[in-house]
Amino acid sequence: MQNYSDYARQRIVALQPGFEKSEASRSTLIRDIVLMQIGIDPACRSRNIPAVIPRNLIRFWHDHSALPDDVAACMSTWERLGEQGFGVRTYDDDSADRYIRDRQGEREVTAFSRCAHPAMRSDYFRLCALVTEGGLYVDCDDVLLNDGWTRLFEDDRLKLQPLCYDIPAGGMMQNSDIWQTDLPSGERNFYVNNDPIAAPPGHPVLQHALCRATELLLEGNGRPEIQATTGPGNLTTVLAAHAHALLLRGDPLDFSLIRDWDAIAEMRWDLSYRQDERNWRNVYGC
């Protein structure tokens, strides 16, 4: 198992500066990070971030006055975290705007106002909130299944979920398949999702992701693509460059990839809002 880790590390270190601009190179790096994690006992991973992940549950739905019943049902499954000492808060457009005005700067306020779709505002706001105070962000259409979430708080690393799109098959791979050591990387796109995110406050990956999203939004060139500007594409680009820099210095990784999120929570696809313009895929043709 150590051979997988060593080989993956060597491939990452060999990458040239600016590689993260290439989707194929980012995909290879995420795959290599998965290989580095396979077989490593979490208890043996070094901890190099002084702050712990606070018990904040952060969510966003753009209009609380028109919250669909089926989405509310998904959200209700997380309420029991309040009994575990969590502060459970759900923001909408207005409260998110106030939050950013109170805790960020004018650039971030302007950037948020340029997020044309609720999904983009959700993407952007979660970065602002997690950079500011840390905690756990989950989407409102996630359903909590069990208490596996506790593992996200066992150390102070940033936690992100790896995903993979199988290009020939035209669909997402099963999470368990991503962790197969003999899985060929060709014709597949590995990346990280921005749901869930568990993080200590001020983690550099999220700081850089927020900065990059802000800059792209302020450029104001046409209608920005959600995934690449504020969503998983933005986060994957920043994470790839961050991981490369750490390994070049010989430093341990200050993040880890969540192996079994689909056993902890389930995204519900059969929700009413997915049929109209509240679903960004229906608006942006993705």
Side-chain angles (χ1 to χ4, degrees), residues 3-271:
N3 290 337
Y4 287 118
S5 179
D6 290 344
Y7 175 64
R9 183 184 296 269
Q10 291 167 10
R11 292 214 307 179
I12 294 173
V13 170
L15 291 167
Q16 297 299 308
F19 76 93
E20 68 276 6
K21 298 176 183 178
S22 163
E23 183 177 274
S25 296
R26 294 195 303 268
S27 174
T28 298
L29 179 138
I30 298 301
R31 174 60 177 159
D32 284 339
I33 295 295
V34 169
L35 291 174
M36 287 178 63
Q37 284 196 206
I38 292 175
I40 298 177
D41 182 352
C44 297
R45 296 173 182 156
S46 61
R47 299 168 60 192
N48 65 339
I49 302 177
V52 298
I53 299 177
R55 292 202 165 193
N56 299 321
L57 177 64
I58 300 167
R59 299 176 296 193
F60 178 95
W61 186 264
H62 64 289
D63 184 359
H64 284 183
S65 67
L67 180 66
D69 291 341
D70 50 7
V71 174
C74 296
M75 296 170 64
S76 68
T77 65
W78 296 86
E79 294 303 317
R80 68 176 185 267
L81 266 61
E83 301 172 2
Q84 303 291 330
F86 275 76
V88 179
R89 299 192 299 280
T90 304
Y91 294 85
D92 61 9
D93 283 342
D94 291 338
S95 58
D97 179 78
R98 291 194 299 271
Y99 186 102
I100 295 170
R101 289 180 183 277
D102 290 344
R103 295 167 176 83
Q104 300 291 333
E106 283 301 318
R107 285 170 53 84
E108 288 78 14
V109 171
T110 302
F112 183 70
S113 72
R114 294 188 179 181
C115 294
H117 192 274
M120 183 174 267
R121 295 194 290 277
S122 173
D123 287 343
Y124 191 81
F125 173 72
R126 74 191 67 177
L127 294 175
C128 291
L130 291 173
V131 164
T132 301
E133 59 184 303
L136 172 64
Y137 174 89
V138 295
D139 281 339
C140 289
D141 48 18
D142 286 337
V143 172
L144 182 62
L145 301 177
N146 57 47
D147 290 336
W149 60 265
T150 58
R151 294 194 294 277
L152 305 181
F153 293 82
E154 288 177 347
D155 61 46
D156 50 14
R157 291 171 176 265
L158 169 69
K159 312 295 192 312
L160 298 170
Q161 178 190 192
L163 296 177
C164 182
Y165 185 80
D166 188 320
I167 297 172
M172 301 300 296
M173 285 178 53
Q174 294 291 324
N175 183 269
S176 58
D177 290 340
I178 293 175
W179 297 86
Q180 295 181 16
T181 57
D182 58 351
L183 183 69
S185 59
E187 296 298 306
R188 294 180 173 90
N189 181 25
F190 293 88
Y191 61 100
V192 292
N193 200 4
N194 63 346
D195 168 47
I197 304 175
H203 193 281
V205 167
L206 301 186
Q207 287 182 330
H208 293 157
L210 175 59
C211 181
R212 184 175 183 274
T214 301
E215 290 175 353
L216 291 172
L217 287 164
L218 294 181
E219 286 176 2
N221 296 326
R223 185 173 72 170
E225 200 275 323
I226 292 180
Q227 290 267 53
T229 304
T230 58
N234 175 54
L235 188 56
T236 303
T237 298
V238 170
L239 182 76
H242 179 77
H244 182 242
L246 288 178
L247 295 178
L248 274 178
R249 296 197 301 264
D251 292 340
L253 297 179
D254 56 3
F255 65 90
S256 64
L257 302 181
I258 306 169
R259 185 162 185 165
D260 56 353
W261 178 250
D262 54 351
I264 299 170
E266 175 186 55
M267 178 181 287
R268 289 288 165 82
W269 289 99
D270 56 341
L271 300 176

